[in-house]
Amino acid sequence: QSALTQPASVSGSPGQSITISCTGTSSDVGGYNFVAWYQQHPGKAPKLMIYDVNNRPSGVSNRFSGSKSGNTASLTISGLQAEDEADYYCNSYTSSNTYVFGTGTEVTVL
Amino acid sequence: EMQLVESGGGLVQPGGSLKLSCAASGFTLSGSAIHWVRQAHGKGLEWVGRVRSKHYNYATGYSASLKGRFTISRDESETTAYLEMNSLRIEDTAVYYCARQIDTADRRFDPWGQGTLVTVSS
């Protein structure tokens, strides 16, 4: 199972919106509504931001939203803030009854 | 507060074995699957495998890349899960995290433990 494809880096100014893509296949992202997004700050454990494509857990800012079209899922961060600077990973369930992570995206707030 | 705490990491020689533990604090693992995820230094997250809940007969699943070297289990007290690693290779060096997934609900991994470092070196 190959890792899902994410851009290596995305940047934006405070207050702007950015979108991170996560591209897989019909055997993972495209086949199920089981895509999640995790935020990871340096030296810390990952934190759940979005699950099942577009669901936000309690306590996560509504500036974070998720969507999916075909084999590509997306995470949008609106009103970018300095604290959003981190690595972001998508994750999907697969047809092999396993899970796969994306390659990771480094978000920089300019 | 719900927490997962990993332990058992350390230095091991190539070809050796190590068993990691993942203990729940503030909640029970009943009804939950436990996933193991690893991250080599400076690299991305890699799904290792998971053990499902009693409802699913503690079924396990693994990343194909591990080629049968790793085994995930859990105890019947529903408080601890384990990752047993055999025939360890230098490339298995990583921080190993465990995470909970409510087995009969959605597919979120939450919470995560703080991770335990495994170093494979001679």
Side-chain angles (χ1 to χ4, degrees):
Chain A
Q1 181 73 50
S2 298
L4 307 175
T5 301
Q6 298 180 231
S9 62
V10 173
S11 62
S13 299
Q16 286 187 330
S17 293
I18 62 170
T19 296
I20 303 168
S21 62
C22 169
T23 301
T25 70
S26 57
S27 295
D28 38 63
V29 174
Y32 307 91
N33 288 325
F34 296 138
V35 176
W37 290 90
Y38 297 89
Q39 176 192 66
Q40 187 180 35
H41 286 105
K44 300 295 187 182
K47 174 188 175 184
L48 175 71
M49 305 304 285
I50 295 288
Y51 67 96
D52 293 356
V53 175
N54 56 12
N55 291 276
R56 197 171 47 249
S58 61
V60 171
S61 171
N62 59 9
R63 298 184 297 104
F64 291 84
S65 61
S67 63
K68 191 185 84 166
S69 177
N71 296 336
T72 298
S74 298
L75 174 72
T76 297
I77 309 175
S78 305
L80 199 62
Q81 298 180 1
E83 67 207 52
D84 301 331
E85 190 162 288
D87 293 327
Y88 291 83
Y89 295 90
C90 61
N91 173 269
S92 175
Y93 177 73
T94 83
S95 60
S96 302
N97 197 19
T98 60
Y99 290 79
V100 62
F101 281 95
T103 51
T105 298
E106 180 181 25
V107 168
T108 301
V109 181
L110 301 172
Chain B
E1 181 187 4
M2 296 196 311
Q3 289 186 76
L4 292 173
V5 180
E6 301 95 338
S7 60
L11 176 64
V12 60
Q13 292 188 336
S17 299
L18 205 60
K19 188 173 184 178
L20 308 182
S21 299
C22 171
S25 173
F27 68 106
T28 174
L29 297 181
S30 175
S32 301
I34 292 297
H35 295 256
W36 286 93
V37 176
R38 69 183 182 180
Q39 185 172 36
H41 183 67
K43 303 296 185 182
L45 301 175
E46 179 186 8
W47 186 79
V48 170
R50 60 103 171 89
V51 57
R52 300 196 73 171
S53 64
K54 184 177 182 179
H55 179 80
Y56 292 96
N57 296 317
Y58 303 124
T60 55
Y62 303 92
S63 169
S65 66
L66 298 176
K67 301 189 190 306
R69 298 183 297 120
F70 290 10
T71 302
I72 300 173
S73 61
R74 59 197 291 166
D75 65 17
E76 292 187 358
S77 67
E78 300 281 29
T79 60
T80 307
Y82 304 95
L83 173 63
E84 186 166 8
M85 304 179 292
N86 298 311
S87 302
L88 282 163
R89 305 168 180 170
I90 291 176
E91 55 265 34
D92 294 319
T93 295
V95 173
Y96 285 74
Y97 296 100
C98 63
R100 181 197 70 168
Q101 177 217 334
I102 299 176
D103 215 353
T104 53
D106 49 66
R107 304 303 175 104
R108 67 180 105 173
F109 296 179
D110 183 53
W112 293 61
Q114 83 288 351
T116 187
L117 177 62
V118 172
T119 303
V120 184
S121 175
S122 55

